[in-house]
Amino acid sequence: MTATTAPEAKLQVLPRADGSAKFSSAGYTVIGSVNGPIEAQRRDEHAYEAHVDVIVRPAAGVGGTRERHLESILQSSLAQLILVKNFPRHLIQIVLQVEETPENDYANAKLVQASLNFPILPALLQTAVLALLSASVPMRATATASFVAVLSQDGTNKVVVDPPPRDIETARSVHVLAFTSHDELLLAESEGDFTVKEWDDVYDTAKRICCQSGGAKTGIEMELDDAGDNGLDMRRFLRSAVETKVEADLHWK
Amino acid sequence: MAATDRIIVLPGDTIDPAVIPTPRRNAIRLGPGLRHVQATNSIVPTVAGQLITDHGKGSMWVESSTGHYIPAISDLVIGQITRSQGDYYLVNLSPYTPNATLPHLSFEAATKKTRPQLNPGALVYARVTLANRHMDPELECVSQTTGKGDGLGPLTGGMVFDVSLGMARRLLLSKPREYGGVAVLELLADEGLAFETAVGRNGKVWVGSDKSEANTRMVIAVGRALRETDERGLDVEAQKKLVRRIMKELSR
Amino acid sequence: MPREAEPSLNERQFVLQALRENLRLDGRPFDKYRPVELIFGEQYGVVEVSFGKTKILAKTSAELTVPYVDRPLDGIFTIATELSPMTAPSFEVNRPTETEVLLSRLLEKTVRRSGALDTESLCLVAGQKCWSVRVDVHVLSHDGDLTDAACLAVVAALRHFRKPDTSIEGGLLTVYTPAEREPVPLSWLHSPFCVTWSFYGDQGEMALLDATLSEEHVRVGSCTISMNRHGEICQIAKLGGTPVDAVALLQCTNVALVKVKDFSAFLDRKLAEDAKRRDKGGLMAELSAENDR
């Protein structure tokens, strides 16, 4: 099955959670629920701020250290976005359930312990942000995330956005970058060997995807677009997904 | 309001200074969903929703209709008694949140001897008197100034239905039909149904009626009408149709 | 630990009063299910089932492993049910609640012990290689009647699933990737479904199908009947609660058979629809694969 790269999102998919979202992009589908602010357990209670609890659950098999690692990355990023000081002694609980991951038709992957779960990070973060928006949890800003890989093809290095799973396995390095809506770098995780120059290229590419304001493009940007990231604009995507939901909610206004 | 002039904001968006009201005498009043950032002296939204500005009153807020209920002063809420502790009842306003407190004597004409005895699980209609991030909310069932209940107090019988926060807000507007686009209750009453309602800002609607035959059916019908209007986002025309359908079912 | 939300006294009294008057809050008759929806995922073996506001996701996966020493001729088949805080914040990770234990045991009895899946067919080389098939049940939203919805999801996911094709030539085991050979369905023997009755009243004289969460809170007992469309009963679980009259239980079983037949027909129809939808591209893929050889 071919993985579609165009992101899709739907908010308020679970009727009983405070907020929820389903997000799919590059073959990944994640469903997220947010409950909060609710009462924190004694051991998680902070006197001055809300505790942000992130739980990542794989589609198949039980969560292990990889999931705990992803949770800790997401937890620290999301705690930056949420206005945690508004809800001391409370808990904001985010559960991210992976529904589908892209399948590689050319290899029989070990499913029970996914071999590489780094590429799913942007989908998880995006789902969490959408679910938080759906739950009307007060936030400082929104965030957008992207997955970028450096592939070496015929001796030259190429920066590719959302590569298919086959390419990820052969990629020289893979990077996950997320930016807030104030163009600040929120998250940068990398794996593999890369030079400073490569990282700069990756940074520029990711920033263009995440931080495009939807306005007119300058000459340089257009050229870069031709280099093949199919003009993905995460920020506009996020806004339109949320606008659809708000308009449906406030149809009476 | 036409769809074109609605401003939908996301957390962290910059608000066009032109839409910010500039009251001559008082300071601007910021409602829910907005915060003032001192460093940049700007007003920034914190939730996703529609930005509403009232130039006459010099106030602005972000209208959003989902999420967990966060208590605010003078909200009318429907709470459920968890237990009695000392001179207080502990009252739950929404699932999984810390209890609010309601003094035993905070009821109309309540004295140590005549105060209502409420068991765990009983419902009360109350007003929030203290809402503060560092303290658990406090409630009252009597007006401090007049000493009257004004409809607040224990809710006996009837049924409580869960609705979205947005729906509760619409029902609590001074003219739900004109401002909030909810006419189901009015329409059902016009059809001759006799029922009482109490709307809690925490997303609960209590529907009651006197204890006679055929009233269970009616309460269920009112509850379903409310829920369907909420969940399916019906406009007034669709609500009329819904009411006609429900009346037909009831008469069977 | 956050407390689970308990219904108020008013709700309890009202729900019971309504039942006494033969009414349910959502206007359903006593023996009718909420609208059942079933959506297959893009991948094989992924299915989302919803009964009204109850939503379940089931995913089947398979991997090669070594059979258990005491059962060298059988493959491995497990059903994993873990309720996450997504179901409700009162559920904690790694701390099973009663709901979770009962759900997993009922599914285990209904699907695994009834021999719905032919585990012998999962064995490839006796004592050395076999398939381990695993179904993960995720409860996305809990509004009562988890057992029936989860059971439908598990059976649907397993019947929809395709495992990689294999061949043994001269003692050499080859596992084909999906690009080389179309994956094959599991060897499926019969489809059991659960039907859960909730009882109300002093003697449990009122019986309800597909109770919502608020109805489940006030019931005095429940009984889960698992059977297939031939009327073969896999298990009956009546765990505690008010004793129920035997004749009434018999009547429940009869109605359950009708519901199981409905489920069975519904699932067959959905599987056929999905197969049809996939065939458009599938046929082309097969043709091109043949051309390659």
Side-chain angles (χ1 to χ4, degrees), chain A residues 102-119:
Chain A
E103 266 176 6
N104 190 342
D105 273 356
Y106 299 89
N108 282 313
K110 275 206 154 200
L111 283 158
V112 173
Q113 276 296 326
S115 58
L116 187 70
N117 52 15
F118 200 63

Side-chain angles (χ1 to χ4, degrees), chain C residues 128-266:
Chain C
Q128 286 173 24
K129 276 275 176 254
C130 72
W131 284 109
S132 164
V133 174
R134 178 188 170 100
V135 191
D136 284 272
V137 180
H138 305 293
V139 180
L140 304 180
S141 173
H142 178 13
D143 190 22
D145 206 15
L146 284 186
T147 323
D148 298 6
C151 185
L152 175 61
V154 167
V155 171
L158 282 163
R159 285 184 58 185
H160 188 246
F161 183 64
R162 301 284 185 272
K163 68 178 187 332
D165 200 4
T166 51
S167 71
I168 299 177
E169 271 174 52
L172 191 73
L173 173 72
T174 322
V175 181
Y176 297 100
T177 63
E180 288 164 344
R181 272 197 199 180
E182 274 291 295
V184 290
L186 299 169
S187 147
W188 191 251
L189 299 178
H190 73 116
S191 297
F193 297 97
C194 289
V195 176
T196 302
W197 289 93
S198 298
F199 300 106
Y200 299 85
D202 297 332
Q203 272 95 47
E205 66 272 12
M206 288 180 286
L208 239 66
L209 268 185
D210 189 28
T212 61
L213 195 58
S214 62
E215 286 168 343
E216 278 188 2
H217 274 301
V218 296
R219 70 184 175 193
V220 296
S222 74
C223 176
T224 303
I225 301 163
S226 312
M227 61 165 107
N228 59 21
R229 68 190 163 96
H230 308 296
E232 294 162 340
I233 293 175
C234 307
Q235 65 90 28
I236 295 183
K238 166 88 179 63
L239 307 159
T242 308
V244 173
D245 186 37
V247 182
L249 210 57
L250 219 56
Q251 180 56 30
C252 289
T253 328
N254 289 339
V255 180
L257 178 60
V258 178
K259 297 295 165 190
V260 165
K261 282 183 177 161
D262 287 352
F263 276 136
S264 198
F266 173 73

Side-chain angles (χ1 to χ4, degrees), chain B residues 68-227:
Chain B
H68 209 95
Y69 173 66
I70 299 165
I73 285 185
S74 78
D75 272 357
L76 294 173
V77 291
I78 294 177
Q80 183 179 334
I81 308 283
T82 313
R83 63 198 157 93
S84 175
Q85 188 182 56
D87 293 340
Y88 295 94
Y89 286 117
L90 297 183
V91 183
N92 188 263
L93 297 184
S94 58
Y96 315 111
T97 48
N99 286 315
T101 54
L102 171 65
H104 281 167
L105 296 179
S106 182
F107 290 89
E108 186 179 290
T111 62
K112 281 234 158 116
K113 280 184 185 150
T114 61
R115 70 176 175 91
Q117 299 286 337
L118 298 172
N119 292 321
L123 293 177
V124 285
Y125 195 33
R127 187 188 296 115
V128 179
T129 52
L130 181 109
N132 176 319
R133 69 175 78 163
H134 289 291
M135 292 160 83
D136 289 344
E138 286 177 18
L139 308 174
E140 63 175 12
C141 284
V142 64
S143 166
Q144 293 296 332
T145 47
T146 61
K148 288 266 165 50
D150 296 335
L152 300 181
L155 296 169
T156 46
M159 175 66 187
V160 66
F161 297 93
D162 289 335
V163 294
S164 71
L165 294 189
M167 182 70 175
R169 174 162 152 65
R170 287 159 69 186
L171 287 166
L172 280 168
L173 291 169
S174 55
K175 285 181 182 166
R177 188 174 187 155
E178 282 78 7
Y179 301 143
V182 249
V184 262
L185 295 181
E186 243 174 83
L187 292 169
L188 286 167
D190 289 347
E191 295 284 343
L193 296 188
F195 57 90
E196 298 175 83
T197 55
V199 183
R201 186 70 181 82
N202 52 342
K204 293 191 188 296
V205 180
W206 173 84
V207 181
S209 65
D210 60 75
K211 286 219 167 108
S212 59
E213 295 285 301
N215 274 337
T216 318
R217 280 179 74 125
M218 187 188 71
V219 172
I220 292 177
V222 175
R224 278 179 62 200
L226 280 171
R227 275 193 183 176

Side-chain angles (χ1 to χ4, degrees), chain A residues 7-122:
Chain A
E8 269 176 59
K10 213 174 157 216
L11 273 74
Q12 226 77 35
V13 285
L14 302 177
R16 295 184 67 88
D18 288 335
S20 54
K22 190 174 189 165
F23 173 78
S24 45
S25 164
Y28 290 100
T29 304
V30 182
I31 186 159
S33 78
V34 168
N35 276 302
I38 55 174
E39 189 173 13
Q41 288 187 54
R42 198 50 71 75
R43 63 183 146 91
D44 296 332
E45 210 177 83
H46 296 306
Y48 296 103
E49 56 178 55
H51 176 70
V52 178
D53 190 13
V54 183
I55 296 159
V56 175
R57 291 169 57 81
V62 285
T65 40
R66 286 167 196 282
E67 279 73 24
R68 300 293 91 75
H69 177 58
L70 288 175
E71 282 169 10
S72 74
I73 295 173
L74 288 166
Q75 200 269 341
S76 53
S77 309
L78 293 169
Q80 300 284 320
L81 289 177
I82 300 168
L83 292 165
V84 284
K85 292 258 159 61
N86 280 15
F87 304 106
R89 298 169 296 113
H90 280 76
L91 168 72
I92 290 167
Q93 191 169 53
I94 304 162
V95 187
L96 299 166
Q97 173 72 56
V98 179
E99 260 187 38
E100 286 187 13
T101 49
E103 266 176 6
N104 190 342
D105 273 356
Y106 299 89
N108 282 313
K110 275 206 154 200
L111 283 158
V112 173
Q113 276 296 326
S115 58
L116 187 70
N117 52 15
F118 200 63
I120 200 172
L121 194 48

Side-chain angles (χ1 to χ4, degrees), chain C residues 41 46 75 92 110 132:
Chain C
V46 179
E92 264 184 280
T110 306
S132 164

Side-chain angles (χ1 to χ4, degrees), chain A residues 135-237:
Chain A
S136 292
V137 172
M139 290 197 285
R140 194 164 286 138
T142 57
T144 43
S146 64
F147 181 77
V148 183
V150 180
L151 303 177
S152 72
Q153 279 169 347
D154 321 319
T156 55
N157 289 333
K158 213 170 122 191
V159 177
V160 182
V161 180
D162 284 337
R166 254 180 119 186
D167 291 348
I168 294 174
E169 278 168 31
T170 56
R172 283 194 53 219
S173 64
V174 288
H175 309 263
V176 175
L177 283 90
F179 294 85
T180 69
S181 52
H182 296 147
D183 294 357
E184 300 149 336
L185 184 63
L186 178 70
L187 168 77
E189 291 281 326
S190 303
E191 241 175 43
D193 297 335
F194 51 92
T195 63
V196 175
K197 167 79 179 62
E198 275 169 9
W199 198 85
D200 285 343
D201 288 348
V202 165
Y203 179 84
D204 290 340
T205 312
K207 188 158 186 180
R208 202 172 55 251
I209 296 164
C210 294
C211 301
Q212 232 168 31
S213 45
K217 287 175 189 149
T218 61
I220 303 165
E221 272 179 303
M222 288 233 278
E223 258 172 54
L224 284 167
D225 261 3
D226 292 340
D229 61 25
N230 54 36
L232 210 58
D233 180 352
M234 288 308 289
R235 199 173 279 177
R236 190 192 298 164
F237 161 76

